[in-house]
Amino acid sequence: MVDRLVQQAILKVLEPILDPTFSSSSFGFRPGRSAHQALAQAQSYVADGRGIVVDIDLEKFFDRVNHEHHDGASGAALWRQALLRIVRCFLEAAMMQAGVCIERYEGTPQGDPLSPLLANLPLDDLGKELERRGHRFCRYADDCNIYVRSQAAGERVMASAAVFLEGKLRLKVNRQKSAAAPVRERSFLGHRLLSDGRLGGAPKSLARAKHPLIRMTRRRRGIALERMIREVNSFTTGWVTYFRHAACKSALRDIDDWLRRKLRYVRLKQCKRAKPTADFLMKCGVPARRAWFVGGRG
């Protein structure tokens, strides 16, 4: 707790100094900036005719951030040397893994108050380099998309960006997950950009939404249906709010139908026996013959 308090105090001092120096196309972990702003900027690039995206995926970024880079990063000259030494101690603090103390020579500890700011420092050099070359891009933490007008240009940008990331920043580009492709074939922050600049929900993101809902609506959880519904509403409200600008009405309707069926199964399971089940169904307006049929099968 003492470490977190000290880190939060350092963040309060460093963030107003360093944040104004970051690229205007960087949106992750910055005050007053959001994922929706990044998506809006990406939409404007696609609507302007930049239909090819260079989608760069960094392999284990937070585990590979080079500590030496922070000493010479943009804006680091403003830091006092004593403060730099404290930050370096946080970065190099050993960690416990399976009961074994492991030394750490690279990476930023995820979950620490300072980690987002320290992670933005090396990637801001990528942003400055892209700006110097005149590229249009959006970056949210380690998720960086560069928008160009042709496939050939995309492949050239991909190759040069990989050289810069691996050569200067000492980061690892995941070649299997990175690609230069039409925007509709890639996703950004859980969304899919259509060729006219509109937003849609990425299929993988829509499918992943079911995983926590399946856990919440297990029939053997042993909690009241009202509590289960409150948990479901809390999750779905946040999820739908995040995807509120995406054109995915039919997918949301399918998830809603599926979720309502799951909750009905839970309610019938709580009746336990045939007669209570049949009585409940008849109270809901189900014909007696159908109600007893379902109750007998339950």
Side-chain angles (χ1 to χ4, degrees):
M1 289 301 297
V2 174
D3 285 351
R4 293 184 67 84
L5 179 62
V6 173
Q7 287 195 36
Q8 190 65 44
I10 294 174
L11 180 66
K12 291 291 185 182
V13 174
L14 289 184
E15 192 170 62
I17 297 173
L18 297 178
D19 188 78
T21 69
F22 291 158
S23 168
S24 60
S25 294
S26 168
F27 296 90
F29 307 130
R30 296 184 61 187
R33 289 173 172 258
S34 67
H36 289 126
Q37 291 175 330
L39 289 165
Q41 183 165 303
Q43 284 182 271
S44 68
Y45 294 151
V46 175
D48 191 40
R50 302 175 187 274
I52 302 295
V53 60
V54 179
D55 187 1
I56 300 175
D57 183 86
L58 297 176
E59 189 174 304
K60 297 181 180 179
F61 167 69
F62 286 94
D63 295 332
R64 293 181 181 271
V65 173
N66 188 269
H67 291 173
E68 298 294 337
H69 185 85
H70 290 101
D71 293 341
S74 302
L78 299 171
W79 303 14
R80 295 183 181 275
Q81 290 302 313
L83 187 56
L84 275 174
R85 286 195 295 271
I86 295 174
V87 172
R88 190 64 179 266
C89 287
F90 284 127
L91 288 172
E92 294 181 347
M95 61 181 177
M96 294 293 293
Q97 185 172 350
V100 178
C101 185
I102 300 175
E103 297 293 330
R104 185 165 50 201
Y105 302 102
E106 62 179 3
T108 59
Q110 295 190 51
D112 285 356
L114 266 178
S115 289
L117 179 65
L118 297 179
N120 267 332
L121 279 171
L123 286 177
D124 188 60
D125 282 359
L126 171 65
K128 297 292 175 56
E129 179 65 17
L130 294 175
E131 288 178 346
R132 188 185 67 80
R133 299 180 186 182
H135 292 308
R136 302 291 185 270
F137 70 97
C138 294
R139 183 177 70 79
Y140 193 94
D142 59 330
D143 198 350
C144 183
N145 279 5
I146 308 168
Y147 298 90
V148 296
R149 297 185 185 276
S150 68
Q151 184 67 31
E155 292 173 359
R156 287 197 303 270
V157 171
M158 171 65 77
S160 62
V163 169
F164 180 83
L165 286 164
E166 295 180 341
K168 184 172 181 179
L169 302 185
R170 304 182 195 176
L171 298 172
K172 177 72 172 176
V173 176
N174 190 325
R175 309 282 177 171
Q176 294 181 338
K177 294 185 178 179
S178 301
V183 291
R184 63 181 178 277
E185 297 179 7
R186 309 295 295 182
S187 63
F188 181 48
L189 300 177
H191 291 72
R192 183 167 58 107
L193 275 86
L194 307 179
S195 56
D196 58 358
R198 291 183 299 117
L199 284 177
K204 288 184 179 180
S205 299
L206 296 172
R208 276 198 301 268
K210 286 189 175 182
H211 298 328
L213 291 173
I214 289 173
R215 291 194 300 270
M216 292 178 194
T217 56
R218 288 199 307 268
R219 284 177 282 180
R220 296 185 179 181
R221 283 191 66 192
I223 65 173
L225 181 64
E226 291 76 11
R227 177 183 167 187
M228 185 179 292
I229 291 174
R230 285 197 301 269
E231 293 178 4
V232 168
N233 285 342
S234 177
F235 173 82
T236 54
T237 298
W239 192 85
V240 172
T241 299
Y242 180 72
F243 285 95
R244 64 184 182 272
H245 299 304
C248 52
K249 185 176 180 180
S250 61
L252 291 178
R253 186 181 293 114
D254 291 342
I255 293 175
D256 180 67
D257 292 343
W258 168 82
L259 182 57
R260 289 176 183 274
R261 286 196 300 272
K262 291 280 289 180
L263 292 173
R264 285 197 291 268
Y265 295 156
V266 172
R267 182 63 184 88
L268 292 177
K269 182 71 175 180
Q270 292 178 346
C271 292
K272 296 184 178 180
R273 294 180 177 83
K275 187 178 185 308
T277 301
D279 289 343
F280 170 73
L281 290 174
M282 287 187 288
K283 185 179 179 180
C284 293
V286 177
R289 183 175 179 180
R290 181 67 177 170
W292 278 103
F293 175 74
V294 173
R297 293 184 62 186

